[in-house]
C-alpha cells in the first residue's frame, strides 16, 4: 500500500517557524521589540433558508481583520506615544503594518495591513516580578489586507 496523503510536507526542513516571521511598520522598519504577532480574519455570515427547501445556506455579511501582538518594552515607541495622544485629541492612531514570513528558497509571504487602529484592551503597563515587561496590543484593520508575496515550496 502506498502513501495516502501525498500533499503532506514530505521534507520537514521546508516547514516555517517563528524565526522566519517578522512584523514591520509601513516604512519597512523591523519592529524588533515585537515578540509575537497574529493576524486573524473574522467572517460573519447571515443564514438564508429559501422557501420550499430544507437546505439552509450562509451568505457573506461582513469580513473583519484583527492584528494582535506582544511588544517587549525596551523603550517607549511610536505605538504607546500615539495611543496616549489619542486621549487628548480624540483622533485614533492609524498605522500601516507589514507581516512577513520568509521561505527557504528566497520567497516570502508579505501581507500589508493598512489603516490599523487600536481596538479592545491594550496593556499600558504590565509588570510582574521576574518577568520581562511586555505590552499586549489589539488592533483592527480598517482596510483590505493586501498580499505582496507568496511562499513557494
Amino acid at each position: 500500500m502506498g502513501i495516502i496523503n501525498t500533499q503532506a510536507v514530505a521534507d520537514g526542513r521546508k516547514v516555517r517557524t517563528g524565526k522566519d516571521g517578522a512584523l514591520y511598520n509601513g516604512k519597512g522598519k523591523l519592529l524588533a521589540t515585537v515578540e509575537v504577532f497574529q493576524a486573524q480574519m473574522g467572517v460573519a455570515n447571515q443564514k438564508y433558508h429559501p422557501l420550499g427547501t430544507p437546505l439552509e445556506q450562509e451568505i457573506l455579511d461582513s469580513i473583519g481583520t484583527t492584528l494582535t501582538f506582544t511588544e517587549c518594552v525596551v523603550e517607549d515607541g511610536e505605538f504607546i506615544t500615539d495611543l496616549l495622544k489619542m486621549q487628548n485629541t480624540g483622533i485614533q492612531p492609524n498605522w500601516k503594518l507589514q507581516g512577513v514570513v520568509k521561505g527557504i528558497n528566497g520567497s516570502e509571504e508579505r501581507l500589508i495591513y493598512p489603516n490599523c487602529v487600536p481596538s479592545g484592551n491594550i496593556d499600558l503597563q504590565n509588570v510582574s516580578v521576574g518577568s520581562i515587561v511586555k505590552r499586549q496590543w489589539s488592533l483592527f484593520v480598517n482596510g483590505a489586507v493586501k498580499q505582496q508575496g507568496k511562499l513557494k515550496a
Side-chain angles (χ1 to χ4, degrees):
M1 183 172 190
I3 296 175
I4 295 173
N5 185 356
T6 60
Q7 298 299 313
V9 177
D11 185 347
R13 295 173 296 175
K14 294 180 182 179
V15 176
R16 303 294 78 209
T17 66
K19 67 177 176 42
D20 301 308
L23 186 64
Y24 297 83
N25 69 11
K27 297 175 184 168
K29 178 185 173 193
L30 176 64
L31 299 174
T33 59
V34 172
E35 185 178 49
V36 297
F37 80 92
Q38 178 181 43
Q40 293 183 313
M41 181 177 285
V43 178
N45 295 323
Q46 288 189 21
K47 299 279 186 188
Y48 173 61
H49 188 177
L51 286 174
T53 177
L55 181 64
E56 186 176 67
Q57 301 174 4
E58 287 196 359
I59 310 300
L60 178 65
D61 184 38
S62 65
I63 300 169
T65 302
T66 56
L67 182 63
T68 57
F69 59 90
T70 302
E71 174 189 28
C72 295
V73 177
V74 176
E75 61 185 3
D76 284 337
E78 70 177 281
F79 290 118
I80 194 69
T81 302
D82 290 351
L83 182 72
L84 295 176
K85 205 183 300 181
M86 178 178 66
Q87 295 176 104
N88 297 323
T89 65
I91 299 170
Q92 276 188 314
N94 185 332
W95 300 295
K96 178 180 180 182
L97 300 170
Q98 304 175 44
V100 176
V101 176
K102 299 279 187 182
I104 59 171
N105 54 7
S107 66
E108 72 174 21
E109 176 185 73
R110 183 176 295 262
L111 298 180
I112 307 300
Y113 303 98
N115 306 318
C116 296
V117 297
S119 178
N121 293 324
I122 296 169
D123 290 340
L124 296 178
Q125 291 183 317
N126 189 352
V127 180
S128 177
V129 174
S131 293
I132 295 170
V133 177
K134 299 176 184 179
R135 284 190 186 107
Q136 179 67 38
W137 289 86
S138 177
L139 309 178
F140 190 83
V141 182
N142 276 338
V145 177
K146 295 180 177 61
Q147 186 177 40
Q148 287 193 341
K150 294 182 181 181
L151 287 177
K152 296 178 181 142

